[in-house]
Structure formats: C-alpha cells, structure tokens
Amino acid sequence: MSIDFSLTPEIEEIRSRVRAFIDDVVKPTEARIQSEGLEHNDRDAYLHALLDMRKQAYDSGLWLPHMPAEWGGMGLGHVELAMVQAEAAKSYYGPWVLNCQAPDEGNMHTLLHWATDEQKQKYLKPLCDGRAWSCFAMTEPEVAGSDPTLIRTHAYQDGEEWVINGHKWFISNAHRANFAILIARTEDDPDLPQAANTAFLVDIPSEGWNEVRQIETMHGSTGHSEIVIEDLRVHESQMLGGRGQGHLLGQYRLGPARLAHCMRWIAQAETALDMMVDRSLNRFAHGSLLAEKQGIQWMIADSTMELYQAKLMVLHAAYRIDNGLEFKSEVSMAKHFVANMLNRVIDRSIQVHGALGYSTDTPLAHMYQHARWARFADGADEVHQMRIAQRTIAAYKDSGSTASATGDLPI
C-alpha cells in the first residue's frame, strides 16, 4: 500500500524550520513595520527590514524552496512545497522572504523549462538571487482573460526584430518588475487557435512599454498595472520558447502556479479558522461563551471540513504533478474549491468576531479584500466549472464512467 500522508523526518524538519522562521523572524518584523508605520514613514528602514529578512532566510537555508539546488534552491517537489507555502503564507511577507512568491515563482519555473542558456543567465539567475522582479503579461481588457486564443496584442517580424503593439492590464508586479514575459499574437491564421501566440522577454524599462497606471483594487493600488505597448521592438533572441508556443507555455506555467496559490490560500484560511476558534473561546455573550453556541459550532465545523477537503485536493494534485501524471483537471478543481473555501472561512471568521472582524483592528478585513480576488485569478470560477464538466462528460463518453474525472483515485 503506497498511500502515505506522513512526511519523512527530513521534510518534517524543514517544515518545523519554516514555521519557526515565520514565527520568530517574519511575524515580529511585520508587527514592527506596522506599528512603526515604516512603509510610509521611513522607507529606508522599511527596505532594510525586508532585505534583512531575506538575508536571514538565505542564511538559514530556506531560500527558493521550489527551485533545484543548482540554481540555489532547496529542490523541493510540489507536495513538499505545499507544506512550505502553507507555513510561509501564514504571514504577509513570508513567501516573498523565502523568494517563492507570485508571480516570480511561476516565472522561474517557466524560465527553467523554456529559456535558452543565455536567457537563463540574464533573467532566471537574477530572480533566483533575489536581485530582480518579474511579471507575466497576458491579460487584456478588451477580451476574456481566461481565453488566450482571443489575445489581440500583435507582433510582426521586421528583420531580426519583432515589433509589438497591444494593451495589457492587471499585470501583477509590473510596476516594480525588471522584465516581463509578454504573450503576443504572431500567427494570423494558425491551424489551431492555440498556436497563434508567442512569448517574448521584455526588459523594463523599454521604449514602447508604457505603464499607464496601477489599477486601484479592493485592497488598494499594489502593482496590478495597465500597460500600453506601442511599437515595442524586441530582438528575435528575446523569444521565449518557439514561435507559436505561447499558449502552451502559458498553460505549462499556470497549472503549478494555480496550485501554489491554493497552498498559500490554505494558510490564510487556517489562520482565519484559528482566529475564529480563539474568538469563540474568549467571547462571552448571552449567558455563555460563543464556543458553546450551536450556531457558532456549525460555522467552525463547516470551516474545518472545507479546510480538510482543500488540503487533500492540493496534496493530491501536487502528487500528480510530481509523478508526471496528467493534472489539469485536479488543479482546476482544487483552484475552484480552495478559492471559494477561502472566502467562506474568512467570512465566517469575520461574523464570529462581529464588528471587530469588520474593523481593521484584526487582519481579517484585509484578508477578505484579498480573498475575493481568488475566485477569478488564474481563471474565473465559471471557466473552471465549464472545463471540469467538459472533462467529466468526456470521461464518461470514453469509458462509460466518470471515475477518471474525479481524481482517478483507487476508490
């Protein structure tokens, strides 16, 4: 029997070290940043605090958990990464401190798989060293972001260069990025719609790459940028992967990246559940503690069951990736479920906290603002549901059973 949910002593030791590092280094530093208002009142002290945490992570051997050792990483697989991300994301800066934050994490995987040796040295190495930031520029305002075959940003070849024009938005990290992985249409009439796009590496700043604004969202203006691209010229050596391979590259990137989001969302949901239970044990109202009231118990129970389901889904999807199995459907189901679970658990925790939870005296309001984004980031709920249904119908047509569409598990 090979099903085993335990960790090896070596991996358990890594998880313990990550947890201790987050508790002993990151959370106290975050508290100081907030209490002293460093981000706004003392920018130098703020940057020093952030970089010092990164240095301590590097010195502690907790740097780049998702990358191979030859690139300075810990060489963890996706199952192992799940427990690292689930610990790191219990703090705001944790994933960034360990250098496994979005979108850089997904871009590192993409560059490792698709980039030439020269491109790796120019773009991947600075990312791994923590000396650079990146963004992934695919989404456009004029077309559905979940359907890359509709992309209008267009590139045409002019000698050894490609000239690109288009419009992108909600490009996370673009405001501070040193380079972008840009998806543009290069084929006007391909045999397959999925073969129309090509990926290019774009240095930032570059003439023709124009950041219009950081888009204000529910959680503020934090680097989700609108970009207008006008006669941007990139050398043919800046093509990432082959011509017409942009869709394939994007799908390769988004699968594991979606799952990494889920790993971090689980950490946030667990934090919200911890806060919910703690509140219920310390709040006395109408003759008893909240924890003794059935209505509160139901909210705790529902949240506990959903978090359990989310953890199992993420672990199984990660297992399939690590073992070279088809994982699109499992990741899609996990992404949809975990995103919605996150919203529900935080909402219940706010309810149990009452007005306190709605205020900014606890982190719940901020967590809730971020959580709403989860239901359309990397594919809206409805698109994932459509794909899940299509795969389930196809499985039944092929075999007369839907078993392969529900995780292809041995039960």
Side-chain angles (χ1 to χ4, degrees):
M1 193 69 177
S2 60
I3 296 175
D4 185 358
F5 289 98
S6 63
L7 297 174
T8 65
E10 294 79 11
I11 298 302
E12 185 62 58
E13 190 268 340
I14 291 174
R15 178 165 70 168
S16 297
R17 285 199 293 127
V18 172
R19 179 177 296 173
F21 184 83
I22 296 300
D23 288 342
D24 298 341
V25 176
V26 179
K27 288 183 178 178
T29 304
E30 288 181 346
R32 184 169 70 86
I33 289 171
Q34 184 175 10
S35 65
E36 298 178 14
L38 295 184
E39 185 175 2
H40 304 291
N41 300 330
D42 191 339
R43 193 71 178 175
D44 289 341
Y46 173 64
L47 294 175
H48 181 270
L50 295 183
L51 295 176
D52 181 64
M53 286 193 290
R54 275 198 152 189
K55 182 180 185 303
Q56 291 187 63
Y58 183 86
D59 292 341
S60 300
L62 300 176
W63 186 253
L64 286 176
H66 58 292
M67 290 297 286
E70 59 266 28
W71 288 95
M74 298 171 67
L76 302 183
H78 287 85
V79 171
E80 298 159 344
L81 179 62
M83 58 88 183
V84 172
Q85 291 277 25
E87 295 294 339
K90 289 178 181 176
S91 62
Y92 181 72
Y93 291 108
W96 183 83
V97 169
L98 304 187
N99 202 10
C100 59
Q101 73 288 348
D104 290 332
E105 181 214 12
N107 290 344
M108 289 183 207
H109 283 302
T110 302
L111 290 166
L112 183 66
H113 183 78
W114 294 87
T116 65
D117 289 340
E118 292 78 13
Q119 290 170 341
K120 288 177 182 177
Q121 287 302 312
K122 183 176 180 181
Y123 297 104
L124 179 57
K125 190 174 189 310
L127 275 186
C128 292
D129 292 345
R131 296 183 288 109
W133 301 51
S134 64
C135 63
F136 190 80
M138 182 173 70
T139 304
E140 300 181 358
E142 293 85 7
V143 297
S146 56
D147 188 353
T149 65
L150 302 177
I151 282 175
R152 294 182 182 180
T153 296
H154 186 266
Y156 66 89
Q157 195 163 14
D158 183 21
E160 295 183 347
E161 293 182 322
W162 286 85
V163 183
I164 309 174
N165 287 276
H167 189 192
K168 303 288 185 180
W169 79 336
F170 281 98
I171 308 306
S172 302
N173 220 36
H175 185 69
R176 59 182 69 92
N178 301 96
F179 70 92
I181 298 176
L182 171 65
I183 307 298
R185 186 180 186 91
T186 57
E187 317 306 312
D188 290 327
D189 190 23
D191 292 335
L192 293 172
Q194 291 80 10
N197 301 328
T198 301
F200 296 92
L201 290 161
V202 178
D203 294 313
I204 302 174
S206 283
E207 186 176 354
W209 174 278
N210 305 296
E211 183 182 16
V212 177
R213 58 175 175 144
Q214 292 188 72
I215 301 168
E216 191 80 16
T217 68
M218 287 174 64
H219 63 270
S221 180
T222 54
H224 303 292
S225 297
E226 180 178 1
I227 310 293
V228 171
I229 301 163
E230 298 176 308
D231 292 332
L232 170 68
R233 288 182 172 268
V234 295
H235 192 268
E236 60 187 4
S237 63
Q238 296 293 96
M239 184 181 290
L240 180 61
R243 181 169 174 172
Q245 298 293 300
H247 184 90
L248 187 63
L249 179 148
Q251 293 306 305
Y252 174 89
R253 179 190 182 279
L254 285 172
R258 286 180 177 125
L259 199 63
H261 276 314
C262 292
M263 297 170 189
R264 292 184 284 265
W265 293 338
I266 283 173
Q268 290 290 288
E270 191 161 56
T271 298
L273 179 56
D274 287 347
M275 293 178 65
M276 189 192 314
V277 173
D278 184 75
R279 176 69 169 179
S280 74
L281 290 170
N282 289 282
R283 187 65 164 180
F284 188 92
H286 301 287
S288 66
L289 292 172
L290 294 183
E292 298 171 358
K293 300 182 186 301
Q294 189 180 57
I296 302 300
Q297 291 172 352
W298 285 351
M299 286 192 275
I300 292 171
D302 287 344
S303 299
T304 301
M305 289 186 288
E306 290 180 12
L307 189 54
Y308 178 42
Q309 291 171 272
K311 290 180 177 182
L312 290 175
M313 294 177 81
V314 167
L315 285 173
H316 182 239
Y319 164 85
R320 294 187 68 87
I321 295 175
D322 282 345
N323 286 274
L325 303 172
E326 178 57 51
F327 58 83
K328 286 181 181 178
S329 189
E330 287 74 17
V331 168
S332 191
M333 287 188 285
K335 193 274 167 184
H336 179 281
F337 182 82
V338 178
N340 282 269
M341 177 277 301
L342 174 66
N343 278 267
R344 289 191 294 267
V345 173
I346 295 175
D347 182 75
R348 293 182 192 122
S349 190
I350 291 173
Q351 190 70 16
V352 172
H353 281 77
L356 175 64
Y358 191 66
S359 76
T360 57
D361 286 359
T362 78
L364 289 169
H366 187 60
M367 290 164 61
Y368 200 37
Q369 288 173 313
H370 279 271
R372 187 58 185 86
W373 162 84
R375 291 185 52 210
F376 50 78
D378 291 346
D381 282 354
E382 294 74 19
V383 174
H384 284 288
Q385 287 176 295
M386 177 180 69
R387 296 298 185 208
I388 292 164
Q390 289 172 345
R391 294 181 184 118
T392 304
I393 293 167
Y396 185 81
K397 286 181 175 179
D398 289 344
S399 65
S401 169
T402 60
S404 64
T406 57
D408 202 20
L409 292 160
I411 54 173

